Amino acid sequence: MVTVKQVEDDNLVSKGAIPEQLKCPQFCFQDIRIPLYRFSSQSLLDDSPFEGHVCITEDEQSALDSLLLALWEDKMWKGVLRYDVTTSEIKVIFGKRKFIAQLNERLGMDYVPKPEPDKICGQGNLSEFQWTKHQEEFLFYVACGEMAISELIPSAAMPDGALLIIINEIPVEYGHVFLVPCGSDSLAQVLDTKSLEMVARFAVEINNCSFRLFYDCPTAGTSHRYFEACYFPSPLPVELTPVDTFFHEGQRGMRISAVTDFPIKTLLFESNKKFKRMVEVLVEICCQLQEKSIPYNLLISDSGKKIFLFLQMQNMANSGTLSAWECGGYFLFQSRSEFDQATEETMLNKLRDVSLDDEGFQVVKELCCSIADKFVA
Amino acid sequence: MESQLNFNIENSFDSRYSFCARQELDELPYSFTITDPTICGHPIVFASKGFLKVFGYSKDEVVGKNGRVFQGPKTDRKSVMEIREAIREERSMQINLLNYRKDGTPFWMLFHLSPVFSKEDGRVIHFVGVQVPISPPRRPRWSASGVVRNGANMCEEGDRVCGNTNIMFGSCRREVCSDTPVELSRVLGLLASESVLDDSSRERHSLPGAGILSSALNISLGRIKQSFVLTDPHLPDMPIVYASDAFLRLTGYAKDEVLERNCRFLSGADTDFSTLYQIKESIQTEQACTVRILNYRKDKSSFWNYLHISPVRNASGKVAYFVGVQIEEGCKNQDRNGLCPEMRHRSVVGAVKVAVRSLSMGAGPSRS
């Protein structure tokens, strides 16, 4: 049995903020009634053009965007958050990459480790206490629907196969939430198609280019998978870096590209049509990466149109070392001196140090092509 | 609302430039558009005859629309994002882009974008976009540094305008490069009498000092359809620096009647002093507050305003603005999103906070 030593790194403190309720089975959620947002019945089907999706115009805030911002701001107003993240200074680090740095002195200070919960949830009063205590962090559910348009139900119990949106009380940026898939297979450790599809759909319906979604591959010791999201004020460096397409399926099909000249090896997945199939391909690739002990992170940006896959160094302990936003080029600093002294070079090194090497990258690219070919055929 | 928007669009060009300028622009054969970032949706306010010919639209089909309507499924998303960034940062840029004509046929063009600054206060009043049809570029594999180097060798003049490293060059770049600056400078030259064109020579007031909102902020705020205002506490008497169209409809005022004025003009004879005091206290302590206050429209009629005020911070972490969100009580407020009044307040505050968060994000060492 390999013991895992968590790498101590100032910039990773926020990773510890996984609410303990995530470690418990989903049946504990049944009694919690919060708003429910149902997607319209028009799903990301194979043949429907991606961009022609449900009357979402760019000229106006979408319903889902309004809902998320409203509930998040409301929790802030009610003091659920440990601090106001908008008081944290941010800047662009001088250089051509435009890495972004945030000075967040409260991240470490206010963080009080939560007591480890009893491993088996549902044991009478203990779990009830914990649920009541953390219920204020639950924002709303998201589920598929049957109506022609999306609908908002002010209060509902958790439907099957829903996403539970939970506020992150120590946010990295404004609007920081966890998106937790709750279904009968929610205890599975691997990324699955349905969850990724739902989460991508979420990004599409938010329709706000500031909104990014993240996923860090499960590390040893975590028993639950979840996504994170927040609103970043400006483009992330990886989004501004040119790409080199090596897999292209016809005109509007799936496109896989390598992000060129970026310190951490990164792939970009895009698809105008047949989005669902791209999700299937990506999930298959991620499963294989996990089998090969290659840690990875996902970044969904541009309202769901782009999915970046960051590849980290292969290690047998399978402990991921950087979070997805760090891979994307957004770094947090806990002290003023570190923040002031941050240079592009140190950021580049941080990313290079954890990146998969060239050889490994080549193997992964070939893997992508073979998996994509299989699905396209 | 429709008519106000149309009026703004029609007025956008004529209020800034002379009739002669319009006539001369009409005579130019090039394809170009002029857009107004201060109007919600960043619409086209002028489209040249050349543009209408190339794209196959009539003037009425184009004026009032945002440039994205000419994009389509094969348009590269990254290029679109780069254009968006250039608009946000109020700088010139040039990029190959795939656009679509009215009949649906796609074609490649070299798109050049340039901001136009006001002589009075240095803020961006328009963007000029020039479209030069080109043959489809070979998809090159290129690195940023390689392109810039080639660019400098091939075309010196082009290098001046093509300074951006994130550019894809087509196969016929040489002849294109020599034409585009000429076209753009002709257009900008005609607008020059009433505006400033060169980035380096304009005197830019730094935010938030002079209450000037950037195009990026204007565009972001334009997406919020509720009634709200942004006020600047760093300026004397904390004036309104932004007012949403919904606010203007609610109060009956025109935009130029409310900008640069303190909100107190909304109060009247029966407005409660203690409520005003409560607001003042909250602002002074940089706290958010929610009140019910009696306000008056331009036509002197009164309404109960369910008002929420919140400080909004920029990248420095300090308060840059206050946002005030108004909900008229009693009126059948059809909120499309199904949110109750308090939640509607919050959603506006959240959206404004996201929009303002990126402002004044300096590069290099932080300034406290």
Side-chain angles (χ1 to χ4, degrees):
Chain A
M1 203 41 192
V2 177
T3 48
V4 177
K5 178 172 179 286
Q6 275 290 8
V7 176
E8 281 288 297
D9 187 328
D10 284 346
N11 298 338
L12 299 180
V13 176
S14 63
K15 284 196 74 155
I18 302 163
E20 69 233 43
Q21 63 266 35
L22 295 183
K23 297 177 186 162
C24 295
Q26 54 90 22
F27 58 77
C28 298
F29 297 104
Q30 289 309 336
D31 296 332
I32 298 164
R33 299 181 73 86
I34 48 180
L36 164 62
Y37 182 91
R38 282 198 181 276
F39 291 136
S40 70
S41 58
Q42 182 191 352
S43 63
L44 299 172
L45 296 172
D46 273 9
D47 290 335
S48 63
F50 192 54
E51 61 279 333
H53 194 72
V54 191
C55 45
I56 294 170
T57 67
E58 280 188 35
D59 287 342
E60 192 172 325
Q61 229 188 346
S62 72
L64 187 55
D65 194 22
S66 299
L67 177 66
L68 178 56
L69 288 168
L71 292 174
W72 209 90
E73 178 65 24
D74 190 53
K75 293 299 180 187
M76 176 112 129
W77 171 250
K78 293 191 164 108
V80 172
L81 296 171
R82 300 269 181 106
Y83 55 81
D84 179 357
V85 69
T86 64
T87 58
S88 304
E89 188 183 333
I90 48 176
K91 69 176 184 186
V92 175
I93 294 176
F94 187 75
K96 78 170 185 177
R97 300 279 181 175
K98 299 193 180 169
F99 287 124
I100 302 166
Q102 183 191 119
L103 172 60
N104 191 329
E105 287 158 322
R106 265 80 47 78
L107 204 58
M109 230 160 67
D110 290 339
Y111 176 62
V112 175
K114 294 183 194 155
E116 274 291 314
D118 202 16
K119 298 303 172 226
I120 303 157
C121 191
Q123 274 194 343
N125 293 332
L126 179 62
S127 61
E128 268 172 44
F129 167 73
Q130 285 169 340
W131 295 133
T132 323
K133 191 158 168 279
H134 293 293
Q135 207 173 320
E136 58 181 7
E137 292 165 22
F138 296 1
L139 297 185
F140 60 104
Y141 300 117
V142 176
C144 296
E146 259 110 66
M147 310 281 277
I149 52 167
S150 3
E151 50 170 338
L152 175 63
I153 296 143
S155 171
M158 191 189 76
D160 194 36
L163 278 178
L164 170 61
I165 314 299
I166 303 175
I167 201 169
N168 183 349
E169 53 172 18
I170 46 177
V172 163
E173 257 304 339
Y174 194 88
H176 197 165
V177 293
F178 298 106
L179 299 92
V180 186
C182 301
S184 37
D185 60 343
S186 61
L187 291 180
Q189 272 213 34
V190 292
L191 183 63
D192 71 296
T193 319
K194 182 154 192 300
S195 304
L196 184 55
E197 214 184 291
M198 263 196 94
V199 155
R201 177 89 190 259
F202 190 94
V204 170
E205 290 222 17
I206 288 269
N207 197 36
N208 185 328
C209 51
S210 298
F211 188 76
R212 313 311 200 281
L213 270 151
F214 307 94
Y215 179 78
D216 296 332
C217 73
T219 59
T222 58
S223 60
H224 207 114
R225 49 168 177 68
Y226 57 92
F227 297 80
E228 294 181 59
C230 61
Y231 294 83
F232 280 100
S234 58
L236 295 172
V238 72
E239 293 166 337
L240 298 174
T241 312
V243 301
D244 177 20
T245 305
F246 62 87
F247 181 92
H248 201 163
E249 174 221 352
Q251 293 180 353
R252 288 165 58 172
M254 180 167 43
R255 209 166 71 167
I256 309 177
S257 317
V259 178
T260 54
D261 195 29
F262 198 67
I264 186 170
K265 298 285 182 274
T266 310
L267 296 175
L268 170 60
F269 291 76
E270 298 167 285
S271 180
N272 273 337
K273 228 179 150 181
K274 304 203 195 295
F275 184 77
K276 191 172 165 137
R277 195 175 63 196
M278 184 185 83
V279 166
E280 286 170 353
V281 168
L282 187 50
V283 164
E284 174 67 31
I285 292 168
C286 291
C287 287
Q288 300 249 1
L289 290 175
Q290 196 143 353
E291 272 171 42
K292 292 181 174 10
S293 298
I294 296 176
Y296 65 88
N297 313 73
L298 291 175
L299 162 64
I300 302 178
S301 76
D302 198 10
S303 302
K305 294 183 185 76
K306 291 180 149 125
I307 304 183
F308 291 92
L309 172 63
F310 301 106
L311 299 159
Q312 299 189 37
M313 210 151 51
Q314 196 166 10
N315 63 66
M316 290 308 146
N318 203 27
S319 54
T321 49
L322 285 189
S323 58
W325 55 81
E326 288 172 309
C327 294
Y330 190 97
F331 299 92
L332 279 81
F333 296 91
Q334 274 183 259
S335 75
R336 165 61 68 177
S337 56
E338 276 182 329
F339 178 73
D340 285 343
Q341 285 157 35
T343 61
E344 186 173 87
E345 199 51 41
T346 47
M347 299 299 97
L348 285 171
N349 287 336
K350 227 189 217 312
L351 292 176
R352 280 185 197 127
D353 286 347
V354 301
S355 174
L356 187 64
D357 56 19
D358 288 334
E359 211 181 285
F361 193 40
Q362 198 49 42
V363 169
V364 172
K365 279 160 69 171
E366 281 160 23
L367 174 71
C368 288
C369 286
S370 66
I371 292 175
D373 277 332
K374 213 169 59 180
F375 278 84
V376 164
Chain B
M1 154 70 191
E2 269 296 316
S3 55
Q4 181 62 46
L5 187 63
N6 288 340
F7 174 76
N8 287 343
I9 291 167
E10 275 163 28
N11 208 37
S12 170
F13 185 92
D14 296 324
S15 64
R16 289 279 174 188
Y17 314 112
S18 64
F19 183 64
C20 290
R22 186 186 268 275
Q23 276 193 311
E24 292 204 46
L25 286 176
D26 268 338
E27 277 164 30
L28 292 177
Y30 318 125
S31 166
F32 64 92
T33 49
I34 300 176
T35 59
D36 189 335
T38 68
I39 298 178
C40 173
H42 194 180
I44 293 172
V45 297
F46 183 97
S48 75
K49 291 204 169 68
F51 178 91
L52 301 177
K53 194 163 147 211
V54 165
F55 282 79
Y57 286 96
S58 70
K59 189 175 92 125
D60 294 325
E61 289 171 319
V62 164
V63 170
K65 298 279 190 326
N66 179 283
R68 84 175 70 86
V69 306
F70 309 109
Q71 295 158 16
K74 287 198 302 198
T75 305
D76 181 42
R77 293 295 312 168
K78 184 160 182 297
S79 305
V80 170
M81 210 170 90
E82 283 172 35
I83 296 170
R84 194 194 291 151
E85 269 317 291
I87 291 172
R88 227 173 68 93
E89 292 170 22
E90 295 176 344
R91 57 176 163 81
S92 301
M93 61 97 72
Q94 185 173 315
I95 197 162
N96 285 351
L97 194 68
L98 187 73
N99 265 184
Y100 288 73
R101 295 186 188 87
K102 183 175 176 179
D103 62 10
T105 56
F107 68 99
W108 280 95
M109 63 170 196
L110 180 61
F111 177 69
H112 192 123
L113 180 77
S114 184
V116 181
F117 305 99
S118 155
K119 250 188 196 161
E120 293 131 10
D121 52 22
R123 68 188 158 101
V124 174
I125 48 176
H126 290 119
F127 279 95
V128 177
V130 177
Q131 304 84 12
V132 182
I134 55 176
S135 52
R138 282 190 287 271
R139 295 194 81 90
R141 289 174 44 163
W142 53 278
S143 68
S145 51
V147 158
V148 168
R149 225 175 313 134
N150 285 338
N153 290 340
M154 280 173 81
C155 176
E156 221 125 48
E157 209 185 344
D159 194 52
R160 178 176 63 81
V161 291
C162 309
N164 192 327
T165 54
N166 293 339
I167 297 172
M168 230 169 73
F169 288 113
S171 48
C172 57
R173 185 183 174 277
R174 207 188 293 268
E175 59 269 25
V176 156
C177 202
S178 54
D179 284 343
T180 310
V182 168
E183 291 171 349
L184 189 66
S185 55
R186 280 296 310 272
V187 174
L188 295 178
L190 281 165
L191 305 177
S193 52
E194 281 100 61
S195 56
V196 176
L197 311 162
D198 189 350
D199 218 332
S200 56
S201 70
R202 68 173 169 152
E203 255 176 50
R204 194 69 214 277
H205 305 272
S206 56
L207 293 168
I212 298 161
L213 297 194
S214 66
S215 314
L217 187 56
N218 260 313
I219 293 171
S220 304
L221 296 178
R223 295 179 80 229
I224 307 169
K225 299 305 176 189
Q226 286 94 320
S227 167
F228 73 97
V229 294
L230 225 58
T231 59
D232 191 334
H234 305 286
L235 295 178
D237 206 26
M238 198 159 142
I240 293 174
V241 294
Y242 182 94
S244 72
D245 289 340
F247 173 84
L248 301 176
R249 277 198 305 278
L250 170 65
T251 58
Y253 288 96
K255 197 175 275 200
D256 57 5
E257 290 174 318
V258 308
L259 287 182
E260 292 171 39
R261 294 178 70 184
N262 179 285
C263 290
R264 72 173 69 83
F265 68 86
L266 292 169
S267 303
D270 291 331
T271 304
D272 186 22
F273 278 124
S274 62
T275 314
L276 288 172
Y277 185 74
Q278 194 184 340
I279 295 172
K280 190 169 161 187
E281 277 256 297
S282 297
I283 290 173
Q284 271 172 354
T285 55
E286 290 186 347
Q287 307 272 342
C289 70
T290 310
V291 298
R292 273 183 82 236
I293 185 170
L294 190 66
N295 275 165
Y296 293 79
R297 297 189 186 85
K298 183 176 178 181
D299 66 3
K300 307 283 192 277
S301 62
S302 67
F303 63 97
W304 278 102
N305 179 359
Y306 188 41
L307 173 70
H308 178 81
I309 296 171
S310 179
V312 181
R313 296 165 188 277
N314 65 11
S316 69
K318 304 194 170 59
V319 174
Y321 302 108
F322 276 84
V323 60
V325 190
Q326 305 80 20
I327 293 178
E328 187 188 353
E329 284 192 355
C331 131
K332 279 201 212 75
N333 283 306
Q334 340 85 313
D335 179 60
R336 287 162 285 199
N337 299 334
L339 298 177
C340 66
E342 287 80 16
M343 287 301 118
R344 280 152 64 192
H345 279 156
R346 310 274 182 265
S347 86
V348 174
V349 170
V352 172
K353 282 186 175 179
V354 170
V356 173
R357 175 95 171 118
S358 60
L359 294 188
S360 304
M361 191 151 77
S366 51
R367 29 165 212 259
S368 345

